[in-house]
Amino acid sequence: MDSIITLEPVFKNMLWGGRKLETEFGYDIPEGQVGECWAISAHPNGDCTIASGAYAGHTLSWLWAEHRELFGNAEGDRFPLLIKIIDAADDLSIQVHPDDAYAAEHEDGSLGKKECWYVLSAEPGGTIIVGQRARSREEFAQMVEAGRWDELVYEIPVHAGDFFQIDAGTVHAIKGGTVILETQQSSDITYRVYDFDRKQADGSLRELHLDKALDVINYGAELPASGEVAASEGPLTTLEQNECYTVVRATVAGELAVPVSYPFTCVSVIEGEGTLCGEPVRKGSNLLALAACRELVFAGDMQVIISHP
Ligand code: ZN
């Protein structure tokens, strides 16, 4: 039985996407503007196929449904996490996501969406939107009506190596020139607040969802000063730990053994190359360590993002 499986990513063409998933990660991507790589996903809108081993050709959602023992009999009606790499050649819409309670009621039982961003690269002078300044639904609606976007949204500089936790209810937008690795709840519910009046290829505007956005925005949320990650001693840096996921950055220089005590662990190589438990891996490799894997043994020269529920 394979204790670590490799997944084939699913790619998404987006109005704001680019070509870096090919040029920087070596993925074989479709033509056009490709914005998202769903690297580890069992979501129905982009269900990854298992690339090798006994279950090759099956999807991750199939494996979760049929072989829960491989996941330590973890509970839940769906695989809970979704790992994406996002290439924003242009600005994403200004958006917000609901929490689990709101999504369950208004979105057909979907999960809500907490997400977090590890910035892989950013252009000099690049910025990102993480929060907003209105203190009430009425104030937010008025500022939108008046088109006072610059005052309303909270925009801060972004650099490679920054990290941002985006709770449900936080208004946010990834801006052009930024590539991030996103760890999120397995959900595809986005309420678009503003799309810069951009037209799609057919001349139409993408739909906005202002009423639902006004329902879910957290008007009391604190604004982060920056995305800077405090320097850590040792090779492991915990970037985020909440009730949905834990995200850790590992720096591998030589050998590194990371014990795991979770039913499964997502692993994405974001820089360099080497091996994981003897298997060759490189920047762009996405793997899932199953319950039988009790230790992630890395060798080489790499940066890796590790996450688990
Ligand atoms: Zn989002």
Side-chain angles (χ1 to χ4, degrees), residues 102-137:
Y102 189 92
E105 186 179 338
H106 298 269
E107 304 294 349
D108 230 355
S110 170
L111 288 177
K113 184 157 143 185
K114 252 187 212 313
E115 65 186 49
C116 65
W117 304 335
Y118 184 78
V119 180
L120 300 177
S121 66
E123 275 169 17
T127 61
I128 207 152
I129 293 171
V130 276
Q132 58 79 36
R133 296 189 179 88
R135 295 295 97 177
S136 69
R137 181 186 180 113

Side-chain angles (χ1 to χ4, degrees), residues 66-147:
E66 300 299 323
H67 288 284
R68 194 65 63 88
E69 74 283 1
L70 299 177
F71 301 87
N73 294 312
E75 289 183 10
D77 58 354
R78 64 204 113 184
F79 182 80
L81 298 182
L82 171 46
I83 316 295
K84 291 182 185 176
I85 301 169
I86 296 182
D87 170 18
D90 194 0
D91 301 346
L92 274 73
S93 62
I94 298 175
Q95 55 184 251
V96 63
H97 306 295
D99 63 13
D100 289 344
Y102 189 92
E105 186 179 338
H106 298 269
E107 304 294 349
D108 230 355
S110 170
L111 288 177
K113 184 157 143 185
K114 252 187 212 313
E115 65 186 49
C116 65
W117 304 335
Y118 184 78
V119 180
L120 300 177
S121 66
E123 275 169 17
T127 61
I128 207 152
I129 293 171
V130 276
Q132 58 79 36
R133 296 189 179 88
R135 295 295 97 177
S136 69
R137 181 186 180 113
E138 294 68 35
E139 191 184 354
F140 193 98
Q142 280 165 11
M143 290 177 88
V144 169
E145 181 72 31

Side-chain angles (χ1 to χ4, degrees), residues 38 40-45 64 75-83 96-115 167-169 183-191 212 216 242-245 264 309:
W38 291 28
I40 301 177
S41 165
H43 193 281
N45 295 354
W64 177 260
E75 289 183 10
D77 58 354
R78 64 204 113 184
F79 182 80
L81 298 182
L82 171 46
I83 316 295
V96 63
H97 306 295
D99 63 13
D100 289 344
Y102 189 92
E105 186 179 338
H106 298 269
E107 304 294 349
D108 230 355
S110 170
L111 288 177
K113 184 157 143 185
K114 252 187 212 313
E115 65 186 49
D167 288 328
T183 304
Q184 58 161 93
Q185 288 180 273
S186 185
S187 168
D188 202 19
I189 308 290
T190 293
Y191 299 145
K212 283 181 171 173
V216 305
N242 62 44
E243 71 281 11
C244 296
Y245 47 72
F264 59 91

